[in-house]
Amino acid sequence: MTRLDEKQIISLFQRIVSNRKHTHEDVETFRIGRKFGVLKTDTLVFSTDVPPGMKLEDVARKSVVACVSDFAAKGVRPLYCLVSISIPRSFSRSHILRLARGFRAASKEFGVRILGGDTNEAKELVISVTMFGVADKIVRRSGAKASDSILVTGRFGRTSAGLEIILGKRKSDKKFASLAKRSVYHAVPRLEFGIDAAKYMTSAMDSSDGLSTTLVEMSAQSKKKFLIVKLPADAALDKFARMNNMNPLSLIFNGGEEYEIVITARQKDVIRIKQIAKKNGVPLTEIGHVQNGSGVFLQGHKAPIRDLGWRHFSN
Amino acid sequence: MTRLDEKQIISLFQRIVSNRKHTHEDVETFRIGRKFGVLKTDTLVFSTDVPPGMKLEDVARKSVVACVSDFAAKGVRPLYCLVSISIPRSFSRSHILRLARGFRAASKEFGVRILGGDTNEAKELVISVTMFGVADKIVRRSGAKASDSILVTGRFGRTSAGLEIILGKRKSDKKFASLAKRSVYHAVPRLEFGIDAAKYMTSAMDSSDGLSTTLVEMSAQSKKKFLIVKLPADAALDKFARMNNMNPLSLIFNGGEEYEIVITARQKDVIRIKQIAKKNGVPLTEIGHVQNGSGVFLQGHKAPIRDLGWRHFSN
């Protein structure tokens, strides 16, 4: 039997199901009159998506965050949400209450109304969240132009460091451990920033599949070269990597599960985006710029940054 | 640990999540300008929803049928579809190809465009299908009026008989076994009929949770008594029940998985609905009528037909 990784499965599926070349996007869109309907579905599976020690309230929240982050990256406000949960027989009333409270809190946190959903029994907890919104247009993955700046929200590498710390594999100082673990248990998608800053973005993508995957995808769809000159990480990550004899670049580029936004924008608009980030309390780093050509390169390195973000099935 | 059945879980969830009294409907609706957006999500779980011997193409189709049938009962054409599949590691490329072909065929059969979706790895196959449509209004569960007729599409009891035959538990003549098994493997939702006849329905509901559950829900939401005078089954089901010493009423009322529509309509409109059914090749039976009062009763029986449709978790 030939095993396929998630990207191959998606491609295979889309080619067969929709019988046409499909351009991957963070969300799906279709016409409603003069506007676009925006839909996204994302599924959380307990055995592959839930780190040890995560509270059920946070599991519910994480399933919502994944969709919210995709809307954020496209500059669209999600309005309505459906939740389909498949629950193992061993779950008690109190387990279900905790999940429900997590959904209620997330609904409030992101201003998305949960309309209803579906419950089932399954061998493990599986939560599918679908969100709907309406937009005049979305920010695409494919719009980067030569001489655009490349920016990212947040810090990268923390989530994979956090997961390693949670798994008890690595040592860390207390302060970084706390930040890193929080980034795993309680990721904060950049919804208000994404909506406010969308008009200044030439392209954007949710980074949750990993920074390298995201950059490679945007570069390929835009048919441009992405040159990275600055890393979106802090000294604490470097220290953690040194303490554990790890490559910080691998943590930063190949981690995944950072619900951040990778953005390209005209240089003249960077100042406006920075102001919006500041207003929303969102860390923003200008990490590089777009050039004619192809591939994603880190300054000082000859080889391109390959698409090495975390994938389902391949590990 | 207190176990809850599916209805209790849904109620608990909706009460906590949406913080308000929720009227159960086949689909969720929300305003888009002067129209309504219609959304529905339905999840198929391999261990609980897939009968032995079902082809993967038909598994994919069944996950689509469940949503299509809900749209049919509300008189709304589903336009777009998202599919989220969680696949066990043991699935090969050919398994995935068969699922994808099933989705493509179902997309064509029901005229619903699959926009995209999500793939994951899980301990068992779980498929969440979400559909979207636009409507001026939907047929509600709550609109039955005194002296309305009660009608149903299709035949009831066949699907539960078919499942028993598939499981090797019962004997049957060949012709009935073939029809009954087909109703399990290849249910036909009444989409075109539902859309054409919607304007003549005072209330309607998809019957897939079982005929008794459906009638009890419509009667309760409409605050009316439903009197059943005729059974939507044929002589072949009676014969099957006799051969196996089973109660045909139990097969008819408490089976489930018939993707039919239960309808109430003004007596004067019944003729029009019958014409539409005939045009669409859909069997239609007038099974009773609505009266002031409450509960669902079968003529000649004193006790009400209780809500005994099949529920997840409770068996």
Side-chain angles (χ1 to χ4, degrees), chain A residues 6 43 84 118-119 123-124, chain B residues 6 43 84 118-119 123-124:
Chain A
E6 190 182 10
T43 296
S84 178
D118 175 39
T119 62
K123 289 187 179 159
E124 65 171 317
Chain B
E6 191 183 11
T43 296
S84 177
D118 175 39
T119 63
K123 290 187 178 160
E124 65 171 318

Side-chain angles (χ1 to χ4, degrees), chain A residues 56-57 85 87-103 125, chain B residues 1-17 313:
Chain A
L56 282 174
E57 289 85 345
I85 49 166
I87 304 172
R89 230 165 222 269
S90 60
F91 267 43
S92 69
R93 187 183 155 87
S94 93
H95 290 128
I96 293 162
L97 280 171
R98 284 157 65 193
L99 282 172
R101 282 195 205 105
F103 284 112
L125 180 69
Chain B
M1 290 191 296
T2 321
R3 290 261 184 71
L4 305 169
D5 74 21
E6 191 183 11
K7 199 167 179 184
Q8 289 173 305
I9 290 172
I10 294 173
S11 294
L12 185 65
F13 233 81
Q14 287 177 334
R15 190 160 44 78
I16 293 168
V17 169
F313 292 97

